[in-house]
Amino acid sequence: MPGNQSDRSAAAGVARELAGCVAVLVFISAIWHESDAYRYIAIATLIPVTLYYFRAEFFSSEKVLIGYMGFLCISWGLYVTARFLYDYSINKNFGIGSSEGIYTLSVFYSITGYAIFVFVRRPIFAVLAFVLISFLVVLYSFDLSALLEGRRPSLIFHDNPIHTSVAQGMIILCVLPFMSYLLCTSDMRAELRIGLVIISIATLFFGLANIYALKSKGVWLALIVALPIQLLLIVAMHSARRNLVAVMSLVFVALVITVVVAWDGIQAVAGDTAQKTAELLSDILGGAGVLQSMDQAIQDDTVPRGLRERLMLWASAILIWAENPIWGQGVTWLDEWQTRAYPDANHNLLHNGYLEIAIRYGIMGLIFYGVLYSWTIRQVWRAKREGIIDPAAFNAYIGVFLFFCLTILSNSNVRLAIGESYMWFSAAFGFYCFYHLQRRGCVQVRTWM
């Protein structure tokens, strides 16, 4: 009987961990296919996880605590909810914005981190599944004829070429650190490691080819900045540097050769935009004023259409934000948007993630997210330093975070499924590391919950 009971307990533990890995993969699935699956899996899992916490840990002296950042996230979500209800009740005739609910999701960041902490004991299984699924998605997305003909490939898994480019950029910045992990670990059989390295290399170069073919200039720029920084981090942080430096140097040389070969295509797509952007920045730095310089560029017919439309959106948003710079316009910003300064850009998607936040919640909103993600980066760094997570996890976290922050300069990725789920997961991963640090005794938390 004791043996049978032990076997049942072990089987239950395996089933729980398998369910946790599957839930994590569904939660991040927007990187492979644009859908709201992450919301449904969150609803299905976070309620029982919360009940589990209060039943199994809340009254224990060794329970993990959400800390001040957890309280801040919950408070921000409640503030956003209260402000939405107030604005809607006072100004029922005004618009109530678009995608407003995403700013309440900070309420769930800490409990999502706890769910990963409790139910994903061996994250390597989720990582391996992520790499294999990503390889299949990237390979299936590859369209050689479109690449050779210089046209955008047909979209398979996402609604927009920019969305696909962002997703594949994230995959690349996760695969590179994984490859460095494979080169340094001794916990896998050599045959398995070699196979996974080959898959990682294939994912890297098919992903780059797809991003090139999709012609998303903002993603190109973000990757040009994030990728070299990540390579430097990988080389600097791993102890087995000799082999790693050799391999990563080959990767870097291959990337440079790829850029040189593709340069004519890059220049044809992005050359005019880069030139006009440089002229705009020169005018601003020369003291002409931000809005005045933007207005001059908007009136200039030689500025590419895509850039002109973005400038119209940004200038209109800045002017509306300036009416209430500290707290923003709240969910009724869309009413102000109907009388914007540049109505020719007929969208309510601002194509800038920072302005999406600022126009709604002002400087306070930007401060909240700045403080939150500064805190999460510190927790991930400390977890890496204490040996709780592998350096590859930290490198992936920083590389994708930098990439995402750059992509939202010219796109509203915070309002996409991939952006919403990424912000949620990256904040939750910070709490996951925070809980591990508590359990190790590396941090002392004085809040009661």
Side-chain angles (χ1 to χ4, degrees):
M1 286 295 291
N4 292 337
Q5 197 171 29
S6 176
D7 290 343
R8 285 196 298 270
S9 177
V14 171
R16 186 173 68 177
E17 185 162 354
L18 178 62
C21 288
V22 170
V24 168
L25 292 171
V26 173
F27 190 84
I28 63 174
S29 63
I31 201 170
W32 304 309
H33 179 259
E34 195 159 16
S35 74
D36 291 335
Y38 61 97
R39 295 185 183 181
Y40 305 135
I41 197 66
I43 293 170
T45 58
L46 292 186
I47 293 175
V49 166
T50 303
L51 295 175
Y52 173 86
Y53 174 80
F54 281 100
R55 186 180 72 250
E57 282 213 33
F58 184 71
F59 296 103
S60 169
S61 60
E62 297 182 355
K63 66 178 178 290
V64 294
L65 305 172
I66 63 174
Y68 295 111
M69 186 52 63
F71 280 113
L72 179 61
C73 288
I74 292 172
S75 299
W76 179 260
L78 294 176
Y79 160 72
V80 170
T81 302
R83 186 167 180 185
F84 179 96
L85 294 174
Y86 174 79
D87 287 344
Y88 182 68
S89 64
I90 298 300
N91 305 307
K92 289 187 176 180
N93 295 326
F94 288 3
I96 57 170
S98 176
S99 301
E100 304 304 329
I102 64 174
Y103 303 100
T104 67
L105 296 178
S106 61
V107 169
F108 304 112
Y109 290 170
S110 58
I111 191 62
T112 306
Y114 177 75
I116 302 170
F117 172 72
V118 170
F119 294 105
V120 184
R121 297 294 187 181
R122 288 173 288 185
I124 186 62
F125 297 128
V127 171
L128 290 174
F130 172 86
V131 170
L132 294 175
I133 296 171
S134 297
F135 166 67
L136 294 175
V137 169
V138 168
L139 184 63
Y140 193 73
S141 302
F142 181 68
D143 187 339
L144 180 60
S145 62
L147 184 65
L148 296 176
E149 293 169 10
R151 59 178 174 82
R152 279 178 167 166
S154 301
L155 300 177
I156 301 173
F157 299 113
H158 294 85
D159 298 336
N160 181 291
I162 297 173
H163 307 182
T164 305
S165 295
V166 170
Q168 303 227 348
M170 288 180 168
I171 288 172
I172 287 170
L173 292 164
C174 289
V175 165
L176 262 178
F178 177 70
M179 190 160 54
S180 73
Y181 166 78
L182 294 172
L183 295 171
C184 297
T185 187
S186 58
D187 296 336
M188 288 185 188
R189 295 203 320 263
E191 298 85 355
L192 178 59
R193 283 198 297 148
I194 292 171
L196 289 171
V197 167
I198 293 171
I199 287 174
S200 299
I201 292 173
T203 304
L204 171 65
F205 287 102
F206 280 116
L208 287 171
N210 290 337
I211 290 172
Y212 172 72
L214 289 163
K215 301 179 181 179
S216 175
K217 298 181 283 292
V219 174
W220 288 357
L221 176 62
L223 204 56
I224 287 171
V225 175
L227 199 52
I229 291 175
Q230 188 184 66
L231 284 170
L232 288 173
L233 282 174
I234 289 171
V235 172
M237 287 189 177
H238 278 277
S239 56
R241 292 182 186 174
R242 182 178 301 176
N243 294 334
L244 194 62
V245 167
V247 173
M248 290 301 162
S249 297
L250 289 174
V251 170
F252 181 74
V253 170
L255 291 173
V256 171
I257 292 172
T258 302
V259 171
V260 171
V261 171
W263 183 251
D264 288 343
I266 295 172
Q267 184 69 19
V269 173
D272 291 344
T273 299
Q275 179 184 346
K276 293 300 181 181
T277 301
E279 291 176 4
L280 173 63
L281 292 175
S282 177
D283 290 342
I284 293 173
L285 295 175
V290 174
L291 289 172
Q292 181 179 350
S293 299
M294 292 174 72
D295 183 69
Q296 290 176 354
I298 290 168
Q299 306 306 324
D300 185 353
D301 292 336
T302 64
V303 173
R305 178 182 174 183
L307 178 58
R308 288 184 69 235
E309 286 193 347
R310 277 170 167 74
L311 290 174
M312 291 180 191
L313 294 170
W314 299 343
S316 296
I318 290 171
L319 289 168
I320 294 172
W321 173 26
E323 295 175 9
N324 193 346
I326 305 299
W327 298 101
Q329 297 288 340
V331 297
T332 58
W333 69 275
L334 195 58
D335 183 72
E336 299 291 333
W337 191 249
Q338 307 312 310
T339 55
R340 61 191 178 276
Y342 299 95
D344 290 344
N346 190 24
H347 313 288
N348 63 17
L349 202 66
L350 304 183
H351 286 275
N352 183 293
Y354 302 102
L355 287 175
E356 293 280 3
I357 296 169
I359 200 172
R360 292 167 171 81
Y361 300 109
I363 292 173
M364 296 306 297
L366 295 173
I367 288 174
F368 165 73
Y369 287 105
V371 169
L372 169 62
Y373 288 106
S374 297
W375 179 86
T376 61
I377 289 171
R378 185 165 183 265
Q379 304 314 307
V380 178
W381 164 255
R382 294 180 70 180
K384 190 275 304 181
R385 188 182 62 189
E386 298 294 336
I388 294 169
I389 63 172
D390 192 87
F394 175 78
N395 293 332
Y397 189 89
I398 293 298
V400 175
F401 179 80
L402 177 60
F403 173 76
F404 184 78
C405 288
L406 291 169
T407 63
I408 62 175
L409 284 170
S410 57
N411 288 290
S412 294
N413 296 331
V414 297
R415 287 174 58 179
L416 305 179
I418 189 172
E420 182 180 327
S421 60
Y422 166 72
M423 292 176 68
W424 190 341
F425 182 78
S426 61
F429 189 73
F431 280 101
Y432 164 83
C433 293
F434 180 58
Y435 299 145
H436 270 293
L437 288 165
Q438 284 185 57
R439 191 56 55 88
R440 286 274 190 97
C442 301
V443 295
Q444 298 294 325
V445 185
R446 292 184 171 85
T447 55
W448 61 273
M449 185 173 180

